[in-house]
Amino acid sequence: MINEQTNPLDGIFAALSDPKRRALLARLAAQDGLTVGELAGPLPISMPAVTRHLDVLEGAGLVSREKQGRRVLCHLRPAPLRAVRDWLTDYETFWTEGLDRLAALLEAKP
Amino acid sequence: MINEQTNPLDGIFAALSDPKRRALLARLAAQDGLTVGELAGPLPISMPAVTRHLDVLEGAGLVSREKQGRRVLCHLRPAPLRAVRDWLTDYETFWTEGLDRLAALLEAKP
């Protein structure tokens, strides 16, 4: 059940555990191709901090950076989010069945 | 955009970033109410390590422990997984639109 190799989900979940990194993803989802400066602008964190967060997001495959002349444009990459969605799918049956059991219980005890 | 209070998703994603903790969740999804000993059994980790992982999972609301006499039964709690699913929903539009754009591109260049 446990794979000795590193599972990409380890890095994806770790990257998503920081609210500032989730905020960066949300901004890139709303507006693709922002520069690091544009990303840092409205957030109460420094440019170097944003760069470090982008390093983590890029390491997890959630963000890519593209050089255009002197500007670096950031893009959200959805594949790791699909991996999370796929991982969750196994549990959906579980919680749906849980709700079904609850409904049956409520019907049995009106 | 960034909430100064701790967002429950921070702890949920951090808890899910460890493959052993995900393995524990998978076992509890397959069989509810296992004891700590039963959970530790097939995994290549010690009982104290399993207990520490369960502490993290319980802290994130993913697992609850119930005392029954001298046994402690573990249960998977799906609410945090639903929170992850809800968080992901905002991005589904993004990646679906991405696929639509790709499809349009492929149609334009047969």
Side-chain angles (χ1 to χ4, degrees):
Chain A
M1 179 179 291
I2 291 175
N3 193 331
E4 288 301 324
Q5 291 182 305
T6 305
N7 186 320
L9 284 172
D10 300 1
I12 297 167
F13 281 128
L16 296 175
S17 69
D18 187 287
K20 292 190 172 72
R21 288 197 286 269
R22 293 197 305 276
L24 291 172
L25 289 184
R27 292 210 60 215
L28 287 176
Q31 194 173 349
D32 184 50
L34 292 173
T35 65
V36 180
E38 286 165 342
L39 273 170
L43 299 177
I45 38 176
S46 65
M47 279 272 286
V50 168
T51 300
R52 281 194 299 275
H53 283 309
L54 287 172
D55 289 344
V56 177
L57 290 168
E58 194 168 61
L62 285 154
V63 160
S64 67
R65 281 177 278 198
E66 175 201 3
K67 211 154 193 260
Q68 278 203 356
R70 297 177 63 179
R71 300 163 76 222
V72 177
L73 309 186
C74 301
H75 306 284
L76 173 59
R77 294 282 165 223
L81 297 174
R82 279 199 291 267
V84 171
R85 196 259 323 258
D86 292 346
W87 177 84
L88 273 178
T89 305
D90 290 343
Y91 294 90
E92 272 185 33
T93 323
F94 172 78
W95 74 61
T96 311
E97 281 174 4
L99 289 175
D100 289 349
R101 275 203 299 273
L102 181 65
L105 203 72
L106 291 173
E107 274 175 31
K109 295 178 182 178
Chain B
M1 182 179 289
I2 291 176
N3 193 331
E4 288 301 322
Q5 290 182 305
T6 305
N7 186 320
L9 283 172
D10 300 1
I12 297 167
F13 281 128
L16 295 175
S17 70
D18 187 285
K20 292 191 174 71
R21 289 197 286 267
R22 294 198 304 276
L24 292 172
L25 289 184
R27 291 210 62 217
L28 287 176
Q31 194 174 348
D32 184 49
L34 292 173
T35 64
V36 180
E38 286 165 342
L39 274 170
L43 298 177
I45 37 175
S46 65
M47 280 273 287
V50 168
T51 300
R52 282 195 298 274
H53 283 308
L54 286 172
D55 289 343
V56 176
L57 290 168
E58 194 169 63
L62 285 155
V63 160
S64 68
R65 281 178 279 198
E66 174 202 2
K67 210 155 193 253
Q68 277 202 357
R70 297 178 64 179
R71 301 164 76 223
V72 177
L73 309 185
C74 301
H75 306 283
L76 172 59
R77 294 284 165 223
L81 297 174
R82 278 198 292 266
V84 171
R85 196 259 324 259
D86 292 346
W87 178 83
L88 272 178
T89 305
D90 291 342
Y91 294 90
E92 272 185 33
T93 322
F94 172 79
W95 75 60
T96 312
E97 280 174 6
L99 289 176
D100 288 348
R101 274 202 300 271
L102 181 66
L105 203 72
L106 292 173
E107 274 176 31
K109 295 179 182 176

